[in-house]
Amino acid sequence: MSDLVPQSIPLSLYIHMPWCVRKCPYCDFNSHTVPGGQQLSLELEKEYLHALVEDFKTQINFAQDREITSVFIGGGTPSLISAEGYQWLFAQLKQHLNFSNNCEITLEANPGTLEHEPFEAYLKAGINRLSIGVQTFNTAHLTKLGRIHSADNAVNAIQQAKKAGFKRVNVDLMHGLPEQTLEQALYDLKMAVDHGATHISWYQLTIEPNTVFFRTQPILPSENILSDIQEEGEKYLIESGFTNYEVSAWRKEKPSLHNLNYWQFGDYLAIGAGAHGKVTQEDGVYRFQKTRLPKDYLEKTPAPMINFEKVVSDDLPFEFMMNALRLKEGVPADYYKQRTGLELTTANDSLQQLYNQGLLSKESERIVCTDRGYRFLNAVLEEFL
């Protein structure tokens, strides 16, 4: 592997907030029920925020003189944390690393917990993009999914976000829900569009191990209905002025800078219980994670880093392509060497096979799937294993 230049690779920050009011039956994310009730206590909030800052300090050397270009606060339910808490947190973090002038800061928000703070307060705290976890505008489906909000809550959340001054509002929607019809799935998209979503993350429900749905399998739509939902949903979004720039991401405005950095194999620091990070050093690409349980994360400050491991050269082609080829327009070809340290010729056999099958474009300046390759992305990625 040739020497890498970390300074040439964008750097983001992921912050994990691990608590939810209630764990959803389909969720396999690192989320835990709020101790003792509906709201996070001020004492626990302060303790966790201080632990995040100490965690951040241990990762400063990974920055290699780079500034933070984007921040994503995920969970769990990050809107359980007060706006004042975020204002304090950002002030502390900026004492240790520079944030770019146009840094994108996204907060995941659950419509069922938005009464914690008005949106204006989060905007004043420095958050400039919201991702609202609606999932569906059908109250019966929300109940089956174990969500704590109603369809009216979801609509109100989007409207209040826009009224507060948020110009960038993503709405998370799932399709292929238990017993969902084509008409119901299209209604969900229409509601998001009509109420002003500027970005929609639209993805099919999958049943993951270690979830309630895995143990008690719900009745899901047939393959024919799922296919119709995908086809008609994509058609509707295009007609509504949205662009599909990643497998499940649709935009009317600029793309999510933070997610683009993931897909383009950029670097990201990671703080919080269960957070996963990726950093490039001159000798290679490394991945790491933090301990999952909040009580373990808080037990020792700063929380220790676990599984800090170098990605072996043989795995890098797949890891890079697994991210890059999710993008409809792919990535510049020179990103491969810049972000893996490997010459693109090391993947020649796989690339040539995909060119011959018409699954990968022969465009020399970019690594990008053909339309057919994008439809059969899993088959494309298998060539790099």
Side-chain angles (χ1 to χ4, degrees), residues 36 107 122 124 150 318:
L107 175 77
Y122 288 113
K124 289 177 182 177
S150 67
F318 176 74

Side-chain angles (χ1 to χ4, degrees), residues 141-328:
H141 286 151
L142 286 168
T143 300
K144 291 177 184 177
L145 292 174
R147 306 294 290 179
I148 63 172
H149 66 272
S150 67
D152 287 343
N153 292 149
V155 169
N156 183 61
I158 301 170
Q159 292 176 337
Q160 290 302 314
K162 303 288 284 188
K163 184 178 179 181
F166 277 96
K167 300 189 184 314
R168 305 184 65 197
V169 178
N170 173 66
V171 169
D172 268 346
L173 289 176
M174 289 194 297
H175 59 89
L177 305 180
E179 302 180 69
Q180 186 182 46
T181 66
L182 169 62
E183 291 73 23
Q184 289 169 335
L186 293 178
Y187 174 80
D188 284 344
L189 288 174
K190 186 176 188 304
M191 290 291 284
V193 171
D194 287 351
H195 289 287
T198 60
H199 188 287
I200 296 175
S201 298
W202 189 56
Y203 48 93
Q204 185 177 322
L205 170 66
T206 55
I207 307 300
E208 303 290 350
N210 302 316
T211 64
V212 172
F213 273 3
F214 186 79
R215 296 190 293 273
T216 58
Q217 295 276 334
I219 300 172
L220 299 179
S222 68
E223 288 298 323
N224 286 340
I225 292 176
L226 292 174
S227 178
D228 289 344
I229 288 173
Q230 190 72 43
E231 182 178 343
E232 293 299 318
E234 289 178 359
K235 180 181 176 183
Y236 172 76
L237 286 168
I238 291 169
E239 290 173 349
S240 301
F242 281 80
T243 299
N244 180 209
Y245 70 101
E246 186 271 342
V247 171
S248 59
W250 295 77
R251 65 182 180 88
K252 245 187 178 177
E253 39 110 2
K254 57 187 176 181
S256 164
L257 181 62
H258 191 85
N259 287 339
L260 268 184
N261 193 41
Y262 284 160
W263 298 322
Q264 293 175 344
F265 214 56
D267 281 355
Y268 43 96
L269 306 180
I271 58 176
H276 289 247
K278 170 190 169 289
V279 291
T280 303
Q281 306 290 280
E282 291 182 357
D283 67 332
V285 177
Y286 290 80
R287 292 197 181 276
F288 66 88
Q289 66 186 86
K290 310 299 293 192
T291 186
R292 283 178 57 87
L293 295 178
K295 68 179 183 62
D296 293 339
Y297 183 81
L298 293 170
E299 193 171 87
K300 185 177 180 182
T301 302
M305 190 174 290
I306 60 175
N307 298 331
F308 184 81
E309 296 177 346
K310 185 176 181 178
V311 182
V312 298
S313 296
D314 288 348
D315 292 341
L316 280 169
F318 176 74
E319 289 227 8
F320 179 89
M321 297 298 180
M322 178 179 64
N323 288 281
L325 293 179
R326 290 179 64 91
L327 290 168
K328 204 73 179 283

Side-chain angles (χ1 to χ4, degrees), residues 24-38:
C24 297
Y26 61 86
C27 179
D28 70 336
F29 294 140
N30 183 36
S31 60
H32 307 269
T33 304
V34 173
Q38 297 275 315

Side-chain angles (χ1 to χ4, degrees), residues 30 48 61 233:
N30 183 36
Y48 191 74
N61 289 340

Side-chain angles (χ1 to χ4, degrees), residues 19-27 31-34 37-40 76-80 108-116 132-157 174:
W19 292 288
C20 283
V21 172
R22 185 169 66 196
K23 181 83 171 179
C24 297
Y26 61 86
C27 179
S31 60
H32 307 269
T33 304
V34 173
Q38 297 275 315
Q39 296 290 351
L40 202 62
T77 305
S79 49
L80 286 170
E108 283 188 338
N110 182 340
T113 55
L114 291 174
E115 68 275 10
H116 189 294
I132 303 177
V134 172
Q135 312 312 344
T136 175
F137 290 92
N138 182 307
T139 297
H141 286 151
L142 286 168
T143 300
K144 291 177 184 177
L145 292 174
R147 306 294 290 179
I148 63 172
H149 66 272
S150 67
D152 287 343
N153 292 149
V155 169
N156 183 61
M174 289 194 297

